[in-house]
Amino acid sequence: MAELGRRRSVSQSLLRSLLESQLRQLIPGEARPLEMVDLGGGTGGLAASLASHGHTVTVIDPSPDALASLDRRTAEAHLGGRV
């Protein structure tokens, strides 16, 4: 998935790789957009990556600061309407 100009931790990269594998098994041969929920999504690193592949992601996080960072991240990546 797209890196969107940000560094990723090893655990985040592993999670993203695992999720990509699961999505390929869920929708083999047909990459149709899905609607997803990211609980505790923080600043939206994973959500932005998924949205950059056409999925719609709802991020739920109790931190207003994290959600403000998520808004900036999605605006910079032109992902409005998908996160």
Side-chain angles (χ1 to χ4, degrees):
M1 292 192 177
E3 290 299 315
L4 300 175
R6 301 226 184 334
R7 290 180 53 149
R8 306 282 185 226
S9 69
V10 172
S11 60
Q12 189 177 36
S13 295
L14 181 60
L15 174 61
R16 193 174 61 246
S17 175
L18 178 62
L19 184 55
E20 287 173 355
S21 172
Q22 294 297 314
L23 287 173
R24 282 192 300 272
Q25 289 178 25
L26 179 65
I27 49 176
E30 185 180 330
R32 66 175 190 241
L34 300 173
E35 292 184 19
M36 303 177 180
V37 175
D38 186 356
L39 297 174
T43 60
L46 185 59
S49 184
L50 292 166
S52 72
H53 283 80
H55 304 295
T56 301
V57 185
T58 300
V59 176
I60 299 174
D61 196 281
S63 169
D65 291 337
L67 295 174
S69 293
L70 169 63
D71 284 342
R72 285 190 300 274
R73 177 182 292 219
T74 55
E76 290 171 3
H78 306 289
L79 297 173
R82 284 190 262 158
V83 178

